Amino acid sequence: MRKNLASAVAAPRIDERAVGAGTTVRFALLVVLMLAASVAVVLEFTRSPEGWGCTLAAGVDPTAGSDRAAVVNRAGQTPAYQACMAEFAPPPPWWLPLAWPALLLAVAGLVFLGLSAWKARRGRVVPLAAVDPEGEIHRTLAELAAVAGLRRLPRVVVDPIATSTGAVVFGSTRRPIVCLHGGLIADRHSNREGFRAVLLHEFAHIHNGDVTITYATVALWRAFLAVTVLPELVMTVQSLPSWPNSPLWSAHAPGVTRGFVLTAFMIALVYLARSDVLRTREIYADLTAVRWGAALHGFAIAQPPMPAGFRGVVASLAELWRTHPRWELRWHSLTDTSALFGVRALPMFLIGATTTLINDNFWRYLKEYQLAGWWVDQAVAILAAGLAAGAAGTALWRAVAHAVLTSRPVPSGVRAGLWLGAGMTVSELLTGKNAVYNWLPDHPEVVLLFVVAGAVFGWWTARCALLAVSTWRGRTLRPAMAVGLVAACLVLAGWLAWWQGGGALFVVGWPIDLDMMRQSVEQAFPGPFAEHQGMLSAIPIAITLIASVNKVPLALAVVAALWVVPLLAWTIRPGPARWACAVSDEVPEPLGVPVPSLPRVLLPGVLTGLASWGAIALVQAAHPQAAEEGGLVELLYLAWVFVVLMGTAVVAAIAASALCSRYRLFAGLIATQVATLLGLAGAFVLGSGWPEVGPIITLVVVSAAVVSIIVAAVGSLFGKPRVPVAPRAHVTARRACVAVACIAAVAVAAPEWIPSSGVPEPPTTQLFGPAGTSSASPQIKRLQIVAWRRYGGERLLRRFTEESARFVAHVKATNGAIDRSACGPLGGITRAASGYFRFPEPQTHEIWQTFITQVQRVARECERAAVQTSMLWIEEAMGTAGVIKARADTLERGNPTSLLPAPARELPLPDWAGHGGRDLLLRFDTGASRILSYVDEVRGRVDVTRVEPLCTALAEVTLDASGHFRIADAEPQRRWSHFIAQGRKAAQDCRTALSRTDTALFRAALRELDQAIDTARSVLPR
């Protein structure tokens, strides 16, 4: 012990208050986690099992083994699914999930008050005067309270039964109660230094504000168990007996298991975080007491040493659950404060896990009530990221500052970030958000991006701390740390918002279906795509990334924080580090790692950015009228500008990393962003302004940042750091350069708010690709059909039957006169049926679509007051509805071989023509003739905007024709079927040719239209 004492005196003393301990932020993180978990618990145990029925009605097979089909099915029928959930499985009132955290806080408040009353109850403790009639102890306590800077001596009681030589303080910081153990009173004369040390330690708790936080933590923990954990376990256990015999058990089992594991994980998470906060505050109370004059040997309490081997590992794990650290650790912290400044793996893991759970639970609440959106997601992410940055970032700043002041190796932050990312990854997997019905998501490897994000966060934060420690000259480091932590919060919040809003989709649906995306691109950007197949292969992926990144509201602010905040270090005037002198008795020279000169940082970006102007000029020369021509020309222009700027960013990052090896990360970020901004400025000057390049600005800026991080990481792994060149004292010039860069970073965000139609957003189904055909088991197929009928299908069919009967009665009552008010209900049925789920069986779904078309014809003929035709279509729709019911009954019985075919009424040619056939032929003839006449008139110089609606109208005519009656005569029916096939192909080719600017295909479509006109005219001889 004397050897330890001597080493403590010889080592440089670092004030533990140099940077905040971060325990208050960690306590806040713990509280918010418990509140968020309470919200999630209410949503979970009030969730109606009818939600499974809506899922089955949507045609989802939960037992299929892949979640992608389920996601695509629901995404393709989102309005129907939301309507079903709102009617049959509505969430609880919005206030109920919020009332549960309020209940948790109320119960915790009662427990908090009860703890003080219980500990200070009569029969357990006695007033100090009862054992100190002469006031000797009271005078000693008053003297020590004055040393501790307390305004008045707290209330003091004695526990005469307790034989230990300790004390405890409880109550609250404003009204603390100090309880002295009987053993301490008895031993005060033989061990005066120990008596002073114990009392100063308890007074330190009061001075540091630990009392309220300590007992609030205990109260919240107990309330959390009673109000949140226990109800969740009870509800889960009660639901178990009804599930194992269900055919959906294989889909339900992963969720139930994850629920139990997540509950256990959260219990462990909260308890470990709580214990870590309390242990840290004990050590800080020891240090405060020593600073007030408590003797070090007053804390020297004999304790068996930590065992070795396996027993030592077990003992170390058990130590993590203790709320008070071992005396050996406390003594070591008193003699060497480096243990307080280290970044430990467990707290970082806990912070990461807590961050993801907070973000996910609050997001689930907002999504449940359809309040989620990009800005709302960003706000939730800022809350979670702010707490995480405050806790994890503070630990990293403390570690870097201590390493610099004691001339020890500076931590890179990567290891701490990996643990932070590991915690986020585990929580993300346990929540099951991306594994709908399976044990793991379809692509769990994508979740490992959390580990990468955590490593980048830790690396950037630690490097930012090193830069500030090396350059800051203020009286305290806290202002610089506050700026750095705010930037770190933005960075982490941007990542969480991107993941929550779009990144998580890749866990279910990666890779992207390129064929569907190509079709979308060809339709949105007409042009000769056959000549640019290579570019067409890359553009769909780029568009998907643009759609996911552009929607993050603070994406550009995040990138600006990554490079502007470090750049501010070059604006600080050289001088003595006053903050270091205030917290350490020995300040090393030089302090930290000197920053390189500003020209070394900026020149790579400036030179490569200016060089990009030449490449952009070539691109502009190749596409001189990109904005005016639009279509594929504009898309190619944007693609080549993106390629030029990314190449510029790579060169700038490599050059900056080579020149500034000590600060590779920041040098690369600054250089790539300067080069990118200059390149965008070149596109602005040489092109038509921001609207021309606006759609890719966010993607370019974000991609440049990613490129610089990758280059810096590779350089750090394989490159050797060099001694940086110290900057000169021209601080005014440096500040001017930094100011210009900051203004440019702010200005580049403006185009994000300029509306642009340049880049389409890919639909969710295009992101995942087609769901594929369902291969559900007969039992699941029966459940799907039962659900389809129960949750709206049967009601729609019954509603049609009732409204049809009313319509027929109305016609009879009015002797064939139709009141158009009677047509409205039929139109309502059409809209409701069109918005309902697809029928789970493909062939029956085609009949269902025919039924919808027939009801549409009823409503249309009703509006035209065509009584006879309306009645005819009602009879046809009634027959189709009967077939749907019969097929559904047969499928429910599990006998698909006896399904009824779709009804097909045949009419004599005159009746067929009078009931809509002639109108369909006339509509097609008129529309096709207009196209042919227009093409002849303009002599081939076709305006796409005029022809495309005409082709779309022809496609609608052929669709109506395919649902029309058949002709009883064989030869006219053959011609009619031939006409439908010709017209459908001609309309489709016409639209495709216009979207692709394919002249040859458009000419072929015109020939097909001419042939279809001839066939249509042959159906009804004149």
Side-chain angles (χ1 to χ4, degrees), residues 279 283 286 303 319 324-336 339 344:
R279 284 198 307 271
I283 294 175
D286 288 344
Q303 191 175 26
E319 181 72 17
H324 278 65
R326 289 173 51 87
W327 283 106
E328 179 183 356
L329 175 61
R330 295 174 70 171
W331 170 256
H332 180 70
S333 299
L334 292 174
T335 56
D336 182 6
R344 291 171 291 131

Side-chain angles (χ1 to χ4, degrees), residues 430-453:
L430 286 179
T431 57
K433 180 178 61 180
N434 302 308
V436 187
Y437 305 115
N438 297 300
W439 296 100
L440 289 173
D442 289 353
H443 297 276
E445 67 277 3
V446 179
V447 185
L448 294 178
L449 286 175
F450 272 103
V451 178
V452 178

Side-chain angles (χ1 to χ4, degrees), residues 644-1018:
V644 168
L645 294 178
M646 285 301 96
T648 301
V650 171
V651 174
I654 294 174
S657 180
L659 291 174
C660 308
S661 56
R662 292 281 182 177
Y663 290 99
R664 296 181 192 273
L665 178 60
F666 295 147
L669 282 168
I670 294 169
T672 54
Q673 293 304 310
V674 169
T676 301
L677 293 179
L678 286 174
L680 289 172
F684 175 81
V685 172
L686 300 174
S688 302
W690 286 129
E692 191 169 278
V693 295
I696 64 170
I697 287 179
T698 302
L699 181 64
V700 166
V701 172
V702 173
S703 300
V706 173
V707 164
S708 65
I709 292 172
I710 294 174
V711 171
V714 173
S716 298
L717 289 175
F718 300 104
K720 294 182 179 180
R722 302 174 182 175
V723 178
V725 178
R728 297 180 180 178
H730 301 306
V731 67
T732 303
R734 295 204 309 268
R735 288 177 177 177
C737 293
V738 172
V740 171
C742 293
I743 292 172
V746 174
V748 79
E752 190 175 24
W753 308 102
I754 299 177
S756 174
S757 58
V759 178
E761 293 182 20
T764 304
T765 52
Q766 288 183 353
L767 201 66
F768 299 129
T773 57
S774 175
S775 57
S777 65
Q779 189 176 22
I780 296 297
K781 183 63 69 177
R782 287 197 296 271
L783 291 176
Q784 290 174 341
I785 293 169
V786 169
W788 186 90
R789 301 180 72 173
R790 176 181 177 184
Y791 292 97
E794 191 71 34
R795 181 172 56 190
L796 284 170
L797 294 172
R798 184 171 60 251
R799 180 180 166 189
F800 171 72
T801 302
E802 295 170 354
E803 292 298 337
S804 299
R806 291 192 185 96
F807 179 77
V808 172
H810 168 75
V811 171
K812 291 181 179 178
T814 58
N815 295 323
I818 295 180
D819 183 357
R820 292 188 177 180
S821 62
C823 307
L826 295 171
I829 294 173
T830 300
R831 291 187 294 272
S834 300
Y836 190 59
F837 296 117
R838 297 187 294 265
F839 195 90
E841 195 268 329
Q843 286 74 30
T844 309
H845 175 65
E846 293 181 4
I847 301 174
W848 171 252
Q849 289 297 112
T850 301
F851 167 75
I852 295 174
T853 303
Q854 290 169 345
V855 179
Q856 287 176 336
R857 295 297 297 271
V858 173
R860 187 183 306 163
E861 298 298 334
C862 177
E863 291 289 342
R864 295 173 54 195
V867 178
Q868 188 175 0
T869 305
S870 298
M871 297 295 290
L872 195 60
W873 279 112
I874 281 182
E875 293 178 14
E876 191 73 10
M878 289 290 290
T880 305
V883 170
I884 293 172
K885 292 180 181 179
R887 289 175 70 95
D889 290 338
T890 303
L891 290 169
E892 281 187 39
R893 291 194 298 269
N895 188 17
T897 58
S898 60
L899 292 175
L900 288 177
R905 172 176 293 203
E906 295 182 348
L907 297 177
L909 186 59
D911 294 341
W912 176 90
H915 291 301
R918 180 179 289 106
D919 291 340
L920 288 170
L921 293 172
L922 182 60
R923 284 169 58 193
F924 185 88
D925 193 317
T926 303
S929 298
R930 288 179 62 187
I931 294 175
L932 295 174
S933 299
Y934 171 76
V935 172
D936 290 339
E937 179 184 346
V938 298
R939 297 181 180 180
R941 298 179 180 179
V942 176
D943 183 357
V944 175
T945 59
R946 291 191 59 181
V947 179
E948 200 278 335
L950 299 177
C951 295
T952 302
L954 291 182
E956 293 176 356
V957 173
T958 58
L959 180 63
D960 289 344
S962 63
H964 195 60
F965 300 110
R966 292 174 58 86
I967 305 174
D969 301 331
E971 183 58 24
Q973 174 59 36
R974 185 191 65 77
R975 295 173 183 174
W976 171 248
S977 300
H978 187 47
F979 156 72
I980 292 175
Q982 282 182 320
R984 182 185 295 118
K985 186 175 186 304
Q988 180 61 39
D989 288 348
C990 178
R991 298 171 67 184
T992 303
L994 292 174
S995 66
R996 298 181 180 179
T997 317
D998 191 332
T999 305
L1001 183 59
F1002 185 68
R1003 290 174 179 169
L1006 295 178
R1007 291 193 296 270
E1008 292 166 354
L1009 284 177
D1010 199 26
Q1011 295 171 3
I1013 291 175
D1014 292 339
T1015 305
R1017 292 173 179 175
S1018 68

Side-chain angles (χ1 to χ4, degrees), residues 28-49:
L29 189 68
L30 189 63
V31 173
V32 175
L33 171 62
M34 289 189 277
L35 296 178
S38 300
V39 172
V41 164
V42 175
L43 291 176
E44 191 62 34
F45 68 66
T46 58
R47 191 180 304 279
S48 171

Side-chain angles (χ1 to χ4, degrees), residues 372-398:
W374 284 98
W375 276 106
V376 175
D377 293 349
Q378 186 70 82
V380 173
I382 288 176
L383 169 65
L387 295 170
T394 300
L396 288 167
W397 275 72
R398 287 172 56 83

Side-chain angles (χ1 to χ4, degrees), residues 584-634:
S584 177
D585 49 9
E586 297 180 17
V587 179
E589 287 292 341
L591 184 64
V593 178
V595 296
S597 62
L598 191 58
R600 278 180 170 259
V601 178
L602 293 180
L603 277 180
V606 172
L607 294 178
T608 54
L610 293 177
S612 69
W613 283 46
I616 292 174
L618 294 176
V619 174
Q620 184 68 29
H623 308 85
Q625 302 295 328
E628 290 77 5
E629 295 184 23
L632 180 61
V633 176
E634 182 183 8

